[in-house]
Amino acid sequence: MADASTASYSASDITVLEGLEAVRKRPGMYIGSTGPAGLHHLVYEVVDNAVDEAMAGYCTRIDITLLPDGGCEVIDNGRGIPVGKHPKFDDLTAAEVVLTVLHAGGKFGGGGYKVSGGLHGVGVSVVNALSRRVEVDIDRDGKRHTMSFIDGGQPHDRLEVNGDSPSEQTGTIVRFWPDGTIFDELTFRAQTLLDRLQMMAFLNRGLEIRFRDLRSEAQRKPQITPIDYDVDRSSDEVSDYVAEPEATTIAPTDDPGLNPDDVEFIVFKYDGGISDFVEHVNSTKEALFEMVGFFEAVEEDQEVEIAFQWNTGFNSDGLHSFANGISTGEGGMHEEGFRKSLTNVFNRYSFDKNILKEGKDDRLQGEDIREGLTAIISVRLAEPQFEGQTKGKLGNVSIRSLVERATNEKLREWLEENPAEAKVITSKAISAQRARIAARQARDATRRKSALDGAGLPGKLTDCASSNPEECELYIVEGNSAGGSAKEARDPHNMAILPIRGKILNVERARIDKMLNNTEVLALIQAIGAGFGPEFELDKLRYHKIVLLCDADVDGLHIRTLLLTFFFRQMREMVERGHVYIAQPPLYSTEVGKSKVYLQDERAKDQFLVDNPKHNNDFARLKGLGEMDASELWDTTIDPEQRTLLQVSVDEAVLADEVFSKLMGEDVQSRKNFIQSNAKDVRFLDI
Ligand code: 0RA
């Protein structure tokens, strides 16, 4: 035990701490990774507990604050974690058990229709295990109770009453400081948290979620170091990262951060729930009609709500589903039920109303009807079964029939009640059907030329020698001259180069048949070798790393975004599984003595000047990849021993969709706003 001042502990308490030790030994098993995703997971874990209180009907508001010293505070106005003696563990209160025993976060005792995240419900004890300090304040029974832990869950101050609760309120405050010996990096990224919090607010109608960031500018920036050839920084090894014993440091402690009185909360509260969600997603697109459709169905121990609206776009992947507030990105029974019924309802309606002629016209396919559809399916059920590779697939069979029955009945009703809307949706579906048939013909024609089946590789591709996809990397390089340097610089054993000239087609605004006429798009599909769209097969990837190598200027950013949009829309699994990376060529170079030093960006340059106050050469700004010769390009950007690759991640697909629509869609103003507010932040491109 760390602290001699704590009260004595019995044998069962020691098992408790052994449990937390297991979490510290294998953090990845509990929070996925020790990278940024795992770090943010800690916040979600605490917030999820508060949301559970909201789902149970006891909590109406959750406040999340990022503290200047690297901590995070989550306040809820729920019932407060129970503070009485725990029946199973002698000497421990229930609150201490919740904080120190794995999986104890669940609501013990009580019955009824309990709904909880489940998947993420590893419990706040995991947050405790992975924090260097945790403070908990509980308002319950009119009293303020407090306790704290240090060094991964060691009790520091046991639970005690600390006066009365302010104005008879109840609730829980959890403050935690992630452990720098566990995490690769300790800096929270506000936008990542905001995306998730906003999603939670949409999914919990009426719940108020507020966020504020009290960190100064400097405290918000992750530490980065100038490129230094003596340091091994093979930081692209994201998945195999083993935490170094050396602690990651946090922002300087003499920086007081911002005054809470000066910082407004960002507030998410949606009385329209998932209908507001659909409206939000479509706000960056052009809606096909104004109304957002909604229906719901409730059974004894499960319920579904569905909101939907069509836009004028061509994507048929705007269907997003959730179970107990958790994104089910791999779909599952609820999605199956909806898709099947959607197709049937629209075909039935079209034939009944003679929009399609029975026995003469082809049936609409699901993808025809889903073109331009934005829909949110949210189900709640007592014991969700999360399956699939990423545990993002809902397996409960019973929910399929509920969703299917509800959609059969209520969507048909909606169509009858809204004939004008029904008419534009069916016409759109029929155009999509025609385009689909045309695209199939175009694709077949292209196939015959052996272009897409992998047999033919694009002429512009300089392939690598190895044929083991796991070690192979495809560099997609902007411009022919940079492509030339990259060809010379690469390791021909496992690095292939594909130069892309000019702007590739904006796939956000084109249907598939048109895309296939674009040579750059064709070359990408051929080189990657795994098909596209619904026929994309991850197993066929010819390279496990797809690296985008673009200039660090506005044009480069644009091309990169076009490429990411294309991958996200047509090869999404490749992005979701972390196969897409962004190379980071440096922005500056300078001479130190006889050797050249490259600096990644403005911040690295500033840091360099702090570290080398006597430095008196002027810095050269590298204008483009083309300016570096092959050896410079190798040293700064490609050499696996020295490069820093950014792995592109998709946290919330439904919101990533929004980002791409903003960037690439019809709405010019929101695109401008987005680029202006995020252009400097491209280092953290997790969409
Ligand atoms: C266990 C049982 C109950 C509530 C909680 C835990 C609880 C945990 C957290 C974590 C953050 N905020 C929280 N709020 C509540 C049920 C309480 C009861 O039956 O009164």
Side-chain angles (χ1 to χ4, degrees):
M1 295 281 132
D3 194 332
S5 73
T6 55
S8 66
Y9 272 75
S10 63
S12 61
D13 311 330
I14 292 168
T15 358
V16 164
L17 291 171
E18 278 169 0
L20 296 192
E21 193 48 43
V23 178
R24 291 175 65 78
K25 279 216 182 87
R26 301 186 161 272
M29 274 186 46
Y30 299 86
I31 53 161
S33 80
T34 54
L39 179 77
H40 292 91
H41 193 111
L42 299 184
V43 182
Y44 309 147
E45 193 55 54
V46 181
V47 175
D48 280 355
N49 277 276
V51 170
D52 280 356
E53 277 293 280
M55 285 203 246
Y58 298 101
C59 166
T60 59
R61 185 152 99 187
I62 306 171
D63 286 348
I64 296 93
T65 302
L66 293 181
L67 305 169
D69 60 3
C72 173
E73 178 187 73
V74 179
I75 305 182
D76 69 64
N77 66 352
R79 286 168 290 183
I81 309 178
V83 292
K85 283 264 169 283
H86 192 275
K88 271 213 237 125
F89 297 86
D90 19 319
D91 286 345
L92 292 182
T93 60
E96 285 167 312
V97 171
V98 167
L99 265 290
T100 54
V101 179
L102 295 186
H103 303 290
K107 315 285 146 101
F108 25 75
Y113 173 17
K114 291 168 298 183
V115 148
S116 137
L119 173 70
H120 300 282
V122 287
V124 259
S125 57
V126 166
V127 177
N128 198 11
L130 302 177
S131 295
R132 66 177 167 82
R133 180 176 181 82
V134 171
E135 298 170 1
V136 182
D137 301 348
I138 297 164
D139 287 317
R140 211 178 149 107
D141 309 325
K143 299 287 178 207
R144 161 81 42 119
H145 307 72
T146 61
M147 61 179 168
S148 63
F149 303 84
I150 56 166
D151 296 335
Q154 313 277 351
H156 183 66
D157 292 309
R158 299 271 317 255
L159 189 77
E160 61 182 11
V161 171
N162 243 322
D164 292 338
S165 299
S167 61
E168 293 186 28
Q169 68 190 29
T170 63
T172 306
I173 304 176
V174 176
R175 271 174 237 105
F176 66 93
W177 289 263
D179 190 332
T181 64
I182 301 277
F183 292 97
D184 311 346
E185 203 189 270
L186 295 174
T187 314
F188 292 112
R189 179 178 174 261
Q191 193 56 49
T192 298
L193 297 174
L194 282 167
D195 286 351
R196 169 75 179 232
L197 296 174
Q198 183 175 28
M199 200 186 80
M200 290 173 140
F202 279 128
L203 292 170
N204 292 278
R205 190 198 323 263
L207 173 63
E208 184 172 357
I209 301 183
R210 309 194 304 173
F211 174 88
R212 65 183 172 168
D213 188 350
L214 300 182
R215 299 171 303 173
S216 67
E217 282 270 332
Q219 289 163 336
R220 289 174 200 203
K221 287 175 182 164
Q223 270 77 23
I224 55 164
T225 39
I227 294 173
D228 178 339
Y229 297 132
D230 295 328
V231 184
D232 177 6
R233 302 198 311 144
S234 41
S235 51
D236 52 313
E237 307 292 5
V238 179
S239 50
D240 302 333
Y241 189 88
V242 179
E244 311 238 331
E246 209 175 305
T248 310
T249 50
I250 50 159
T253 46
D254 55 353
D255 185 339
L258 308 182
N259 183 342
D261 297 335
D262 299 337
V263 181
E264 302 252 352
F265 279 101
I266 293 168
V267 184
F268 299 121
K269 181 174 187 288
Y270 301 103
D271 293 326
I274 60 170
S275 297
D276 289 353
F277 200 168
V278 166
E279 193 171 289
H280 176 82
V281 171
N282 271 349
S283 69
T284 53
K285 307 168 197 271
E286 193 188 330
L288 202 56
F289 45 82
E290 221 168 276
M291 185 186 318
V292 175
F294 177 86
F295 58 87
E296 63 189 322
V298 185
E299 273 181 358
E300 210 168 291
D301 57 355
Q302 53 181 15
E303 59 188 62
V304 56
E305 22 175 71
I306 297 179
F308 57 93
Q309 188 186 47
W310 273 259
N311 61 62
T312 58
F314 303 130
N315 294 310
S316 47
D317 58 3
L319 176 62
H320 300 278
S321 65
F322 300 84
N324 293 1
I326 291 167
S327 169
T328 38
E330 293 178 84
M333 292 298 162
H334 49 348
E335 272 195 30
E336 254 179 48
F338 179 73
R339 281 167 194 264
K340 181 163 171 226
S341 174
L342 179 76
T343 310
N344 286 336
V345 167
F346 269 95
N347 276 298
R348 194 68 267 142
Y349 180 84
S350 306
F351 287 119
D352 286 353
K353 305 282 168 188
N354 272 321
I355 301 166
L356 291 176
K357 303 273 175 298
E358 195 116 42
K360 182 169 167 282
D361 289 321
D362 282 341
R363 273 173 66 84
L364 297 166
Q365 289 194 3
E367 60 188 283
D368 304 332
I369 302 157
R370 290 197 307 275
E371 190 191 88
L373 170 67
T374 298
I376 304 284
I377 304 174
S378 171
V379 299
R380 298 198 189 273
L381 64 178
E383 280 178 38
Q385 309 288 312
F386 293 103
E387 300 169 350
Q389 300 248 31
T390 59
K391 296 265 176 263
K393 186 171 180 181
L394 186 67
N396 304 61
V397 180
S398 64
I399 203 77
R400 183 176 54 198
S401 106
L402 175 65
V403 176
E404 198 180 327
R405 277 181 282 127
T407 311
N408 276 337
E409 185 186 325
K410 296 185 174 168
L411 182 60
R412 174 67 190 234
E413 250 170 55
W414 186 87
L415 291 175
E416 296 290 353
E417 282 162 16
N418 300 283
E421 283 76 7
K423 191 167 173 217
V424 284
I425 302 166
T426 44
S427 339
K428 182 169 171 53
I430 290 165
S431 324
Q433 185 187 38
R434 288 198 194 110
R436 173 172 53 78
I437 292 163
R440 169 92 2 108
Q441 285 161 356
R443 196 150 47 198
D444 289 348
T446 327
R447 271 232 184 80
R448 275 196 290 282
K449 284 184 251 148
S450 99
L452 293 176
D453 56 11
L457 287 172
K460 297 196 296 178
L461 176 75
T462 306
D463 210 355
C464 53
S466 166
S467 56
N468 172 11
E470 278 178 36
E471 63 170 353
C472 291
E473 305 179 350
L474 175 65
Y475 280 79
I476 299 169
V477 186
E478 167 193 0
N480 280 336
S481 66
S485 307
K487 236 179 267 182
E488 237 184 282
R490 71 180 181 136
D491 178 345
H493 172 68
N494 69 327
M495 295 176 177
I497 307 292
L498 180 68
I500 289 281
R501 198 148 33 93
K503 306 257 156 96
I504 73 157
L505 183 73
N506 181 352
V507 298
E508 196 73 4
R509 279 184 277 182
R511 273 196 176 122
I512 254 181
D513 48 339
K514 209 166 151 198
M515 277 164 43
L516 291 176
N517 288 327
N518 180 284
T519 49
E520 308 299 307
V521 167
L522 262 186
L524 279 169
I525 296 172
Q526 291 170 337
I528 291 168
F532 65 95
E535 288 147 30
F536 180 78
E537 284 176 86
L538 194 71
D539 295 348
K540 293 204 174 143
L541 270 193
R542 298 182 63 246
Y543 314 88
H544 276 204
K545 283 200 172 85
I546 308 289
V547 185
L548 311 188
L549 180 50
C550 301
D551 280 333
D553 58 12
V554 176
D555 279 345
L557 176 68
H558 189 205
I559 290 167
R560 183 158 96 185
T561 315
L562 286 165
L563 286 166
L564 285 173
T565 308
F566 174 67
F567 292 147
F568 183 72
R569 293 292 180 210
Q570 299 298 333
M571 304 180 180
R572 178 167 308 176
E573 218 189 336
M574 181 172 86
V575 186
E576 286 176 340
R577 291 302 168 77
H579 291 290
V580 180
Y581 295 82
I582 292 169
Q584 300 192 95
L587 261 188
Y588 296 99
S589 70
T590 187
E591 315 257 324
V592 180
K594 279 199 190 93
S595 62
K596 209 167 192 175
V597 172
Y598 292 94
L599 300 161
Q600 201 89 69
D601 55 15
E602 206 72 38
R603 236 182 284 159
K605 192 180 91 177
D606 295 345
Q607 187 63 45
F608 177 86
L609 284 173
V610 173
D611 296 340
N612 304 276
K614 293 202 192 106
H615 186 75
N616 60 4
N617 280 332
D618 287 348
F619 289 93
R621 195 184 154 93
L622 299 164
K623 286 203 198 63
L625 292 166
E627 274 185 39
M628 278 187 268
D629 64 25
S631 80
E632 288 175 315
L633 191 60
W634 168 261
D635 284 347
T636 60
T637 314
I638 300 181
D639 179 6
E641 297 293 317
Q642 302 184 51
R643 70 186 177 191
T644 314
L645 294 182
L646 291 185
Q647 192 178 33
V648 177
S649 70
V650 184
D651 278 345
E652 309 300 350
V654 55
L655 295 160
D657 181 286
E658 179 194 344
V659 170
F660 284 119
S661 293
K662 269 189 194 159
L663 281 168
M664 293 295 135
E666 310 287 344
D667 183 348
V668 178
Q669 192 52 46
S670 68
R671 175 160 70 241
K672 274 194 183 146
N673 293 345
F674 182 87
I675 292 181
Q676 278 163 9
S677 57
N678 287 276
K680 289 198 294 297
D681 202 23
V682 289
R683 214 180 95 76
F684 318 107
L685 204 108
D686 78 324
I687 43 180

